[in-house]
Amino acid sequence: MLKNATDAHKQAALLNHVPLFSHLGAFLLTVSMVMVFFVSQLLGIYVAGKLVLPATQNATVGDIFLFGGNDGTVVSLSIIIGCVLITGITVSIIRLRGGSVRQYLALKSFSPAVGLKMAGLLLIFMIASQALTYFLDETPLVFVDPLYQSVSSVWLLVFAMVIVAPLYEELVFRGILWTAIAEQFADSSYSSYPTKYRGAIVASIVTSLIFAVIHVQYGIYEISTIVVLALVFCYARVKSGSLLLPILLHIANNGAAMWQYMAQAA
C-alpha cells in the first residue's frame, strides 16, 4: 500500500502543474518533433556525405542520400549530427515556453532498487524477443550489414548506434513528447488513483507507437517488438520518475544487440 501511494504521489507531482503546452500545442509539438527527427537525419547524412564521400563536388543531393545512407561512416556521423541538432531544438523549445529543462525532461537520479527491477524486466524482454526471433527465423539487424562493412572504424558505428542514438531518441520520445502528452491530464479534478495515471498511459501508448513506426528500416515483426520495448522504457520512466533510467536501459539494449551482431559477423 505504501509503495502504491508513493507511485501515485510521484505521478501526481508530474501531472498537477500548469501544462507547458495546450492540447493543440502538444499535438503540433508531436508532429513537429517527428518531422525534426527525420529532417535532422537527412541533414546529417547530407553534411556527413559532403565531408566523407569521395567526389561529392559534382554529386547530386539524391546521390549523396543514396550512397551516404548505406555508408557506415556517413550514417554514424549523421547520428551524431542529428543528436546535436535535436538536443539543441528540444532545449530551446522548453526554454522558450518558460519551462525548466531539467524538470521537464526529468533529468534526475533514480532509486537503484527501481533500476535493478527495470533492468530485470528488460532482460526478460530481451530473452523472450531473442527466442521468438530464433523461432520465426527473423534477421532484424540485416540493415546493419552494409554499414558495418563500409564504416571507417567499427567503434564509430558502435558509439553512434549504442550511445548516441539512445540519447536523442529518449530525449524526444520518453522526454519532451512523453511529458507534453502526459501533462494534458494535469487537471486537479482527476483525483482518483487510476486517473492520476491516465496521462502516463496515453503518453506511453502514443509515443511508443510513433517510436516504433519511425524505425522504417525494420519490418512488421521488428516494429511490433519495438512497440513492446518502448513500453518497457515508458514503464521505467514512470516507475523511476527519471529519464536517465530509460536512457541507460536503451543503451544496454542496443549494446547487447550490437554485441550479438558483431559476434556473429566475426
Side-chain angles (χ1 to χ4, degrees):
M1 179 65 71
L2 179 60
K3 180 177 179 294
N4 289 341
T6 301
D7 289 342
H9 177 72
K10 288 181 179 179
Q11 193 60 26
L14 169 67
L15 298 180
N16 289 335
H17 70 275
V18 178
L20 206 60
F21 298 91
S22 64
H23 294 331
L24 177 60
F27 173 77
L28 294 177
L29 175 70
T30 302
V31 174
S32 299
M33 289 305 296
V34 171
M35 292 178 62
V36 166
F37 189 88
F38 282 112
V39 171
S40 65
Q41 290 183 325
L42 293 175
L43 183 59
I45 289 178
Y46 179 79
V47 172
K50 294 290 286 185
L51 294 174
V52 173
L53 295 178
T56 56
Q57 294 298 325
N58 298 321
T60 65
V61 174
D63 291 334
I64 295 175
F65 287 142
L66 177 63
F67 295 107
N70 290 295
D71 185 278
T73 303
V74 172
V75 170
S76 298
L77 293 176
S78 73
I79 291 174
I80 296 172
I81 292 171
C83 180
V84 173
L85 291 174
I86 288 177
T87 300
I89 291 172
T90 300
V91 170
S92 297
I93 290 175
I94 296 174
R95 286 181 174 174
L96 287 173
R97 296 294 300 177
S100 165
V101 174
R102 184 180 179 86
Q103 180 180 357
Y104 203 75
L105 296 178
L107 300 176
K108 57 184 180 180
S109 61
F110 56 87
S111 166
V114 174
L116 287 175
K117 290 179 181 178
M118 292 301 103
L121 180 61
L122 176 64
L123 181 60
I124 293 173
F125 165 82
M126 291 169 63
I127 293 173
S129 176
Q130 182 61 33
L132 185 59
T133 298
Y134 178 80
F135 178 76
L136 297 177
D137 194 26
E138 295 284 347
T139 52
L141 293 180
V142 66
F143 77 94
V144 179
D145 287 344
L147 306 180
Y148 184 79
Q149 295 165 6
S150 60
V151 71
S152 59
S153 170
V154 172
W155 295 112
L156 174 63
L157 184 64
V158 170
F159 175 70
M161 298 187 71
V162 174
I163 304 297
V164 180
L167 285 175
Y168 74 81
E169 288 179 349
E170 292 304 310
L171 191 70
V172 172
F173 294 99
R174 260 66 62 183
I176 186 171
L177 292 188
W178 193 94
T179 305
I181 296 172
E183 71 176 0
Q184 300 308 309
F185 299 85
D187 191 322
S188 60
S189 63
Y190 294 125
S191 56
S192 65
Y193 178 80
T195 56
K196 288 186 182 299
Y197 280 92
R198 186 179 301 177
I201 292 172
V202 174
S204 298
I205 293 174
V206 172
T207 57
S208 296
L209 289 174
I210 297 175
F211 178 71
V213 171
I214 65 166
H215 285 78
V216 293
Q217 69 270 35
Y218 292 112
I220 298 298
Y221 164 74
E222 291 83 5
I223 289 178
S224 300
T225 60
I226 290 175
V227 171
V228 179
L229 178 62
L231 288 172
V232 171
F233 294 154
C234 289
Y235 186 58
R237 168 76 166 78
V238 174
K239 296 298 288 184
S240 67
S242 171
L243 182 63
L244 299 183
L245 181 55
I247 290 176
L248 292 176
L249 294 178
H250 199 155
I251 289 174
N253 177 79
N254 285 21
M258 182 59 72
W259 174 81
Q260 182 182 20
Y261 175 86
M262 293 175 64
Q264 294 175 346

